[in-house]
Amino acid sequence: MVILRIDDILRERGMTEKELALMMGVSYQSVNSVVRCRENPSAKKLKRYATALGVPMNELFQEL
């Protein structure tokens, strides 16, 4: 099973979901639904998250 690490990366960087949303030009609700796994984002959207967070896309994932 694979989970998203966006919440962990935000904590590591001392960022909030609101700050990430502002950086990406999307709503807080949009970011929150991805972080809380209520939405399955497309590869294109995941690439935008990785770019905004300054990490390679593979760092967004953690295998359990």
Side-chain angles (χ1 to χ4, degrees):
M1 183 170 152
V2 176
I3 61 167
L4 285 175
R5 294 189 57 245
I6 295 171
D7 198 32
D8 294 336
I9 296 168
L10 287 171
R11 273 195 301 272
E12 290 168 7
R13 288 175 169 45
M15 290 177 63
T16 66
E17 292 176 21
K18 280 188 176 183
E19 291 170 325
L20 179 58
L22 286 171
M23 287 175 62
M24 294 179 65
V26 298
S27 70
Y28 162 78
Q29 290 84 0
S30 177
V31 169
N32 184 263
S33 68
V34 171
V35 170
R36 304 288 170 238
C37 300
R38 290 186 295 243
E39 177 186 334
N40 289 323
S42 65
K44 183 178 178 179
K45 194 173 212 179
L46 288 171
K47 180 65 177 160
R48 289 186 64 209
Y49 277 89
T51 300
L53 292 166
V55 298
M57 202 158 124
N58 66 324
E59 284 193 32
L60 296 179
F61 305 99
Q62 177 181 355
E63 194 169 337
L64 293 179

